[in-house]
Amino acid sequence: MADTKYIFVTGGVSSSLGKGIIAASLAKLLQARGFKTTIQKLDPYINVDPGTLNPYEHGECYVTEDGAETDLDLGHYERFLNVNTSQANNVTTGRIYQSVIEKERRGEFLGKTVQVVPHITNEIKERIQILGKNGDYDIVITEIGGTVGDIESLPYIEAVRQLKWELGDDNALVIHLTLVPYLSAAGELKTKPTQHSVKTLMESGIKADILVCRTEHELSDDIRRKLAIFCNVRQEAVIQSIDAPTIYDVPNMMLKEGLDTVTLKKLSLPDDSTPNLDGWNQFLQRHKNPKAEVHIGLIGKYVELQDSYKSILEAFIHAGAENEVYVNVEYIHSEFINDSTIHNKISHLDGVLVAPGFGERGIEGKIDAVRYARENDLPFLGICLGMQMAVIEFARNVLQLKGANSTEMDAETKHPVIDLMEAQKEVTHKGGTMRLGAWDCELTKDSIIHKVYGEDMIKERHRHRYEYNNKYKEQLENAGMLSTGINPETGLVEIIELKDHPWFVGVQYHPEYKSTVANPHPLFVSFVKAAHEHSVKQKNAKMAQK
């Protein structure tokens, strides 16, 4: 294809309708037809990136291979497409304004008054087209965050209006996602919210080409006709998006609705093939028909909002399907774990994952959970802070280093088994200054982790500021906590495991970011397998007692 085609996904009526899942599902269908497709997210908030946002505010911060701290929707894009994203796939208002102000300071506008139109909108259009102009993609799908009518979204909507006009009808289209609510008192679906949302979009100069309607009930032909007439779209372009058992059902639902067919027609692209979803459907078959169940405790301090650990939860789904088991994740708030509660909260589990995080809140509960897993041969996986908690617990309770801690939690600790890297000690700005992105890690042969990956060298994504303190490495290893993964560039320890334990692994990096439907992460696959083996062993032991 000579020219890249652009698809814009906007939303109305309500947030959290699933623009990211619809964008990812359409991208999957187009990719399954042979089109090279990518997705980007434009976020209207003024933060430069989500890196400094509390997980309760915005869910998890997703990290790309090139070290960009991005919106969690990029995780969906990668999990669906099995293609890496980058800094170019996520743009915020903060980054747009930062770039324009820097250009103004350099004198690039030659004394002109800097305004939203054209300077901010030109910057947005430039960012939208970066991925399209590099020649790697046939189709770029751009999701606009927020809802139509939001003050924050107006510059993006205006940029889309301009770009759609500049590119021409065959090269760009707008998909508008809205809500068709069901009023139980009236016993019917209501189209008025969608009509008003489309009207608001048209007031900004944009006509929706395709309507995707989120609904709890089937849309009748009458409702589709009504929406088509009032919203200026063809009836075949009114797409139903009904509630699904799992997000992984949505591509098949959109295929059934003909979303990909309507899209290709409007972009004047060939519609002469059927999407190849064989691998996807095999995954769905395994996911929906597990042969066993395991219970894994996710120990964290943001458990009230599941999006805080979105990539971990999805990685468990992928690993569960690979093992043909259902992973029942139990959320356990680390602040509520102590000597009197730990047995009731953890003893029935088949595995424990101590989650990543920042700050001292809930730390002692995480350390108690690590100790329980270590002493009771319970499969354990510690991620980032979770790995650091494993080191602290071992130092305190095995090496008997009283008060051992991380300098993040206790700057005056006598035994800083976790400490800041020298390069981090002079850092004053918090945004984008951690160890980020993909780093090499050399694995020790004959270790658990080497068997997991089956490779000598791996590359995994990081997002942290504090590190394993190599001054304590010899003591820890002599006592049985092995360092089985080392970054060859810095000599920093990336992976620890216990010598005399069925399955106990802590990793400084975030394996969950690289788990996809097509390639479940081997560390999660191995952890779930160990949990299943533990479950079977426990059941057999109970049977023997009877």
Side-chain angles (χ1 to χ4, degrees), residues 296 298 312-321 327 329 353 524 527-528:
I296 291 178
L298 192 159
I312 290 174
L313 299 178
E314 300 306 319
F316 273 133
I317 289 174
H318 308 154
V327 180
V329 178
L353 183 147
F524 278 87
F527 177 48
V528 170

Side-chain angles (χ1 to χ4, degrees), residues 524-544:
F524 278 87
V525 172
S526 180
F527 177 48
V528 170
K529 182 181 178 184
H532 182 228
E533 289 171 352
H534 179 272
S535 173
V536 171
K537 185 178 177 182
Q538 293 295 101
K539 286 174 184 172
N540 289 341
K542 286 180 182 177
M543 292 288 288

Side-chain angles (χ1 to χ4, degrees), residues 129-422:
Q129 294 178 92
I130 283 175
L131 292 166
K133 288 179 176 176
N134 65 17
D136 292 338
Y137 303 105
D138 303 320
I139 300 167
V140 175
I141 300 176
T142 303
E143 177 193 346
I144 313 293
T147 56
V148 171
D150 293 347
I151 291 173
E152 296 94 338
S153 299
L154 289 176
Y156 292 105
I157 297 299
E158 171 59 18
V160 169
R161 184 197 66 77
Q162 292 179 23
L163 201 51
K164 196 167 185 288
W165 180 76
E166 291 167 9
L167 293 168
D169 289 340
D170 290 345
N171 295 315
L173 66 82
V174 173
I175 297 173
H176 191 53
L177 178 65
T178 70
L179 178 67
V180 179
Y182 179 81
L183 296 187
S184 55
E188 61 181 349
L189 291 166
K190 290 295 183 180
T191 65
K192 196 63 72 177
T194 292
Q195 292 178 44
H196 283 300
S197 181
V198 171
K199 182 181 178 183
T200 302
L201 188 62
M202 292 180 73
E203 286 172 354
S204 300
I206 297 176
K207 174 186 172 296
D209 298 289
I210 299 172
L211 275 186
V212 175
C213 303
R214 284 285 283 115
T215 176
E216 296 176 355
H217 299 269
E218 297 280 341
L219 297 183
S220 65
D221 287 341
D222 285 343
I223 287 178
R224 290 182 194 244
R225 253 192 312 273
K226 185 176 180 180
L227 285 169
I229 291 168
F230 278 99
C231 299
N232 286 347
V233 298
R234 295 195 175 278
Q235 191 169 331
E236 65 266 24
V238 178
I239 305 294
Q240 169 184 283
S241 177
I242 200 163
D243 289 356
T246 163
I247 59 171
Y248 299 107
D249 285 311
V250 179
N252 281 314
M253 292 165 65
M254 291 302 101
L255 176 65
K256 184 180 177 183
E257 284 288 304
L259 178 58
D260 56 327
T261 301
V262 174
T263 297
L264 293 173
K265 182 179 178 182
K266 287 189 174 291
L267 292 175
S268 299
L269 291 173
D271 180 16
D272 53 6
S273 61
T274 303
N276 181 359
L277 294 174
D278 291 349
W280 187 272
N281 289 327
Q282 286 168 15
F283 154 77
L284 269 178
Q285 177 68 18
R286 292 193 302 272
H287 172 52
K288 292 187 173 186
N289 298 281
K291 296 177 180 176
E293 180 177 355
V294 296
H295 293 258
I296 291 178
L298 192 159
I299 318 293
K301 59 180 181 178
Y302 308 115
V303 294
E304 296 91 342
L305 183 68
Q306 292 185 20
D307 276 358
S308 301
Y309 304 111
K310 193 64 180 174
S311 292
I312 290 174
L313 299 178
E314 300 306 319
F316 273 133
I317 289 174
H318 308 154
E322 188 73 8
N323 283 286
E324 296 186 281
V325 301
Y326 172 69
V327 180
N328 188 334
V329 178
E330 295 188 23
Y331 307 95
I332 303 171
H333 202 301
S334 57
E335 281 192 288
F336 303 140
I337 296 177
N338 53 50
D339 289 343
S340 62
T341 63
I342 192 163
H343 184 79
N344 286 339
K345 288 185 178 294
I346 295 183
S347 62
H348 63 287
L349 298 173
D350 303 311
V352 166
L353 183 147
V354 175
F358 295 91
E360 62 183 326
R361 184 169 62 89
I363 289 304
E364 295 304 321
K366 289 187 175 185
I367 291 171
D368 287 344
V370 174
R371 181 172 188 170
Y372 188 95
R374 177 177 63 80
E375 293 180 342
N376 292 277
D377 285 347
L378 197 59
F380 169 85
L381 175 59
I383 296 177
C384 198
L385 184 67
M387 174 260 208
Q388 295 175 2
M389 294 303 100
V391 175
I392 292 169
E393 188 279 325
F394 196 84
R396 287 183 186 180
N397 300 316
V398 178
L399 292 182
Q400 297 297 312
L401 299 179
K402 190 175 180 181
N405 215 327
S406 165
T407 51
E408 180 184 6
M409 320 309 167
D410 179 5
E412 305 301 322
T413 176
K414 289 182 180 179
H415 298 290
V417 291
I418 304 296
D419 199 6
L420 269 180
M421 288 174 63
E422 286 301 318

Side-chain angles (χ1 to χ4, degrees), residues 69 423-424 427-436 464-465:
E69 294 177 288
Q424 288 285 336
V427 170
T428 55
H429 284 57
K430 298 300 182 188
T433 55
M434 289 184 277
R435 184 146 77 102
L436 292 164
H464 59 98
R465 204 178 299 278

